[in-house]
Amino acid sequence: MAAVAALSGFWVVVFVGIVVGLLLSLILNHFHPLLLKLGCGPATINLKGSFGWPLLGETLKFLKPHHSNSPGSFLQDHCSRYGKVFRTHLFFSPTIVSCDPELNYFILQNEGKLFQCSYPKPIHGILGNVSMLVAVGDTHKRLRNVALSLVTITKSKPEFLHDIERTAIQILDSWKDNPQVIFCEEARKFTFNVIVKQVLGLTPEEAVATKILEDFLTFMRGLISLPINIPGTPYARAVKARSRISSTVKAIIEERRNNNNNYNDDDDDDDDDDDENYEKRRNGNSDFLEILLCVDTLSEDEKVSFVLDSLLGGYETTSLLMAMVVHFLAHSPTALQQLKVEHENIRSMKQKKEYLNWEDYKRMEFTQNVINEALRFGNVVKFVHRKALKDVKFRDYLIPSGWKVLPVFTAVHLDPSLHANADEFHPWRWESQEQTCKKFTPFGGGSRCCPGSELAKVEVAFFLHHLVQNFRWRTEDDEDQPMAYPYVEFQRGLVLNVEPLRADHA
């Protein structure tokens, strides 16, 4: 018994030793970059800041919720104390935070040379390593080239534009007997219906579309949760949901491929439907998936991941932008009136119930100003994650190799030295102010600028075309503001009181 007790005591000591060793290792990892880099030469010059607590650093302060049209207390405090570029410790890594437009531009333009996309590992676990959002090097280049090609092919296609408009009208028609709507839910319904049709050729009534939406909502909840991969947690459920979405998309790809093979094998078939479908594919009137099947540069997993990325960008980001626009317009009656006049003028040039086209979209100049101002003032994307691939000298300080770098777009968008009356929603600023990539980066920049940004703007513009002509609205709760967590959302979903202006939609 004594021997057993001694052996048991030995393993307890070993276990305690391992735990203590791991803690010491983590603490050393926290302070090692500070001791190694900040005590010698140019690294100390103008690189001020603090590392905060061991392990967590200043992550909790950085993630403290705040209005999205404000930099937040963390950035305000640190910029006032240390300047627009400072050092800290975030997400378990030593980090340089930049609120400087020149440095932000430098970082974004040197993607793959001096800096590299570097999101926290849990993000990779849920998005997958071949997601365009986290992929680097040749993989990212191949995915981005395909995305740009698809957007170029799609954005002005009548079929795509008509789908957007039909979906907008359907959503607004459902408001006729509802004096109150939760707009964020309505916006997500609109953007999902548009993107699932464009990417996969599905209508929202189909069972497979419903299945994808259910899994996608689980996926989204996990994407913004604590990254704890234990069964039952939102993160773990999201990982499984992504796996189910992947399986569903793979099944759709296989079915589509088999159908295409059948069309090719039945050249002598006189069936009118087959001929019509073949002509439709041949003339390019097809969804993203149809085109993806012909792309030989992407693997099967990359194609599946591409579909998921398209759903993510076309669903959440676009719907949030719509909510920002509607929220800010509710508090800017002058802008709303000018927007309404612009769309009434466009409608007056068309036949009743005639669809909008690409030329109509290009005429929506003030609409573009409103969208740009909502992007600047609301800040759908707050910052991006990068990592220094080597020691980088910028001005009179050094960014150490291996350190994370966070270009913060919010701070630049709300900088009064760059934007007059930066704390006001003022769409007219874009009539004279240039949209330089140093002062305005709502969709990122450089080689990682969002390839679908134009599609998002088209969707918002077409929805607004019918909204402003057919409804007046006011916010139910003035306290329901867009909040950054750092992801942005409306706390109560943006509840609107709506009133139809006339019985029928144009």
Side-chain angles (χ1 to χ4, degrees):
M1 291 294 292
V4 172
L7 184 61
S8 176
F10 169 76
W11 285 113
V12 169
V13 172
V14 169
F15 176 76
V16 171
I18 292 173
V19 171
V20 172
L22 286 173
L23 288 174
L24 290 174
S25 176
L26 289 171
I27 292 173
L28 180 62
N29 177 67
H30 178 85
F31 288 108
H32 177 68
L34 183 64
L35 298 172
L36 183 66
K37 289 286 184 181
L38 298 181
C40 58
T44 61
I45 303 175
N46 289 341
L47 195 60
K48 302 175 182 178
S50 63
F51 263 27
W53 292 95
L55 306 182
L56 286 177
E58 297 187 295
T59 304
L60 296 182
K61 291 181 181 179
F62 180 76
L63 295 177
K64 184 178 179 181
H66 59 87
H67 291 124
S68 72
N69 56 348
S70 160
S73 59
F74 177 86
L75 290 178
Q76 290 173 330
D77 173 68
H78 281 60
C79 286
S80 65
R81 293 168 61 187
Y82 308 123
K84 290 185 178 181
V85 182
F86 56 89
R87 59 173 171 81
T88 181
H89 202 280
L90 302 173
F91 309 109
F92 304 103
S93 297
T95 303
I96 303 296
V97 174
S98 170
C99 299
D100 182 286
E102 297 291 339
L103 178 53
N104 287 2
Y105 178 78
F106 178 76
I107 293 168
L108 296 175
Q109 293 301 312
N110 282 281
E111 172 73 27
K113 305 170 190 173
L114 304 178
F115 303 93
Q116 181 175 281
C117 178
S118 182
Y119 284 92
K121 288 184 178 179
I123 297 294
H124 290 252
I126 198 169
L127 290 176
N129 290 325
V130 293
S131 166
M132 185 163 54
L133 300 176
V134 298
V136 297
D138 290 340
T139 300
H140 176 264
K141 187 179 296 184
R142 284 187 288 107
L143 290 166
R144 179 174 169 77
N145 287 340
V146 171
L148 288 172
S149 298
L150 286 172
V151 169
T152 302
I153 293 170
T154 299
K155 66 180 183 181
S156 59
K157 280 170 50 178
E159 294 81 5
F160 173 64
L161 301 180
H162 296 172
D163 281 339
I164 293 175
E165 195 168 5
R166 276 193 294 264
T167 306
I169 292 172
Q170 288 171 1
I171 295 294
L172 293 172
D173 279 344
S174 70
W175 293 10
K176 286 181 179 178
D177 300 319
N178 294 325
Q180 191 174 85
V181 298
I182 301 176
F183 186 77
C184 288
E185 293 182 0
E186 298 297 300
R188 289 190 181 106
K189 188 189 305 180
F190 167 71
T191 56
F192 181 80
N193 291 353
V194 169
I195 198 66
V196 79
K197 178 69 163 60
Q198 183 55 42
V199 174
L200 296 171
L202 300 174
T203 60
E205 295 80 17
E206 295 183 62
V208 66
T210 303
K211 178 182 178 183
I212 290 174
L213 178 57
E214 290 175 355
D215 284 333
F216 193 75
L217 292 175
T218 302
F219 169 82
M220 285 300 305
R221 284 191 289 269
L223 190 61
I224 57 177
S225 68
L226 289 174
I228 302 173
N229 198 4
I230 299 175
T233 62
Y235 182 87
R237 287 197 292 268
V239 172
K240 289 185 176 180
R242 186 196 186 281
S243 178
R244 289 194 299 271
I245 295 172
S246 297
S247 298
T248 302
V249 172
K250 284 180 180 178
I252 294 173
I253 289 176
E254 188 61 29
E255 180 181 5
R256 189 75 67 88
R257 186 177 284 125
N258 290 336
N259 289 341
N260 289 351
N261 290 336
N262 290 336
Y263 290 136
N264 294 332
D265 292 340
D266 296 336
D267 290 338
D268 296 328
D269 194 335
D270 293 330
D271 186 275
D272 291 339
D273 291 338
D274 284 355
D275 289 343
E276 181 181 345
N277 288 332
Y278 176 78
E279 287 299 318
K280 185 178 179 181
R281 295 197 317 281
R282 194 187 70 172
N283 292 328
N285 300 326
S286 52
D287 51 50
F288 279 12
L289 188 58
E290 191 73 26
I291 302 172
L292 274 179
L293 292 176
C294 303
V295 178
D296 297 329
T297 57
L298 300 184
S299 68
E300 198 80 349
D301 285 340
E302 286 172 340
K303 291 177 182 179
V304 171
S305 188
F306 184 91
V307 169
L308 188 61
D309 289 343
S310 300
L311 292 175
L312 179 61
Y315 172 77
E316 187 65 21
T317 306
T318 307
S319 63
L320 178 57
L321 174 56
M322 288 175 61
M324 292 280 197
V325 170
V326 168
H327 169 73
F328 293 136
L329 285 174
H331 297 85
S332 181
T334 306
L336 178 57
Q337 180 58 31
Q338 184 168 335
L339 188 71
K340 183 178 179 181
V341 169
E342 177 173 85
H343 286 279
E344 287 176 341
N345 289 338
I346 291 173
R347 178 50 57 184
S348 68
M349 295 185 290
K350 306 185 76 65
Q351 298 294 322
K352 185 177 181 181
K353 295 188 177 180
E354 180 184 353
Y355 284 120
L356 295 169
N357 54 40
W358 186 250
E359 287 69 32
D360 295 324
Y361 171 68
K362 302 305 288 186
R363 293 188 189 100
M364 299 177 184
E365 295 181 4
F366 187 68
T367 304
Q368 293 291 336
N369 294 340
V370 168
I371 292 173
N372 285 332
E373 183 66 352
L375 287 166
R376 181 200 69 84
F377 193 49
N379 295 289
V380 174
V381 179
K382 180 179 178 181
F383 60 89
V384 292
H385 293 258
R386 296 292 184 267
K387 180 176 71 174
L389 297 175
K390 59 182 75 174
D391 284 355
V392 179
K393 185 76 181 300
F394 185 82
R395 295 189 185 135
D396 56 351
Y397 49 77
L398 185 76
I399 299 175
S401 175
W403 278 40
K404 297 295 179 68
V405 186
L406 264 60
V408 181
F409 304 143
T410 304
V412 176
H413 292 165
L414 300 175
D415 189 335
S417 68
L418 301 174
H419 307 277
N421 301 313
D423 60 347
E424 296 178 7
F425 179 77
H426 189 73
W428 298 273
R429 76 174 72 246
W430 299 105
E431 294 176 352
S432 57
Q433 180 173 310
E434 293 184 12
Q435 297 179 34
T436 64
C437 51
K438 293 184 180 181
K439 296 194 298 185
F440 185 56
T441 50
F443 294 103
S447 62
R448 302 193 77 93
C449 184
C450 176
S453 57
E454 191 70 47
L455 299 185
K457 289 183 176 182
V458 172
E459 289 183 44
V460 176
F462 278 30
F463 188 91
L464 285 174
H465 177 78
H466 291 279
L467 174 64
V468 300
Q469 294 182 85
N470 293 283
F471 285 91
R472 63 170 59 95
W473 69 93
R474 60 182 177 83
T475 55
E476 171 70 13
D477 186 352
D478 289 338
E479 296 301 315
D480 192 9
Q481 302 285 328
M483 299 291 292
Y485 289 91
Y487 61 91
V488 180
E489 70 173 23
F490 286 81
Q491 292 174 293
R492 298 174 181 84
L494 188 56
V495 179
L496 300 180
N497 293 323
V498 296
E499 180 184 350
L501 295 177
R502 60 175 182 257
D504 61 316
H505 292 303

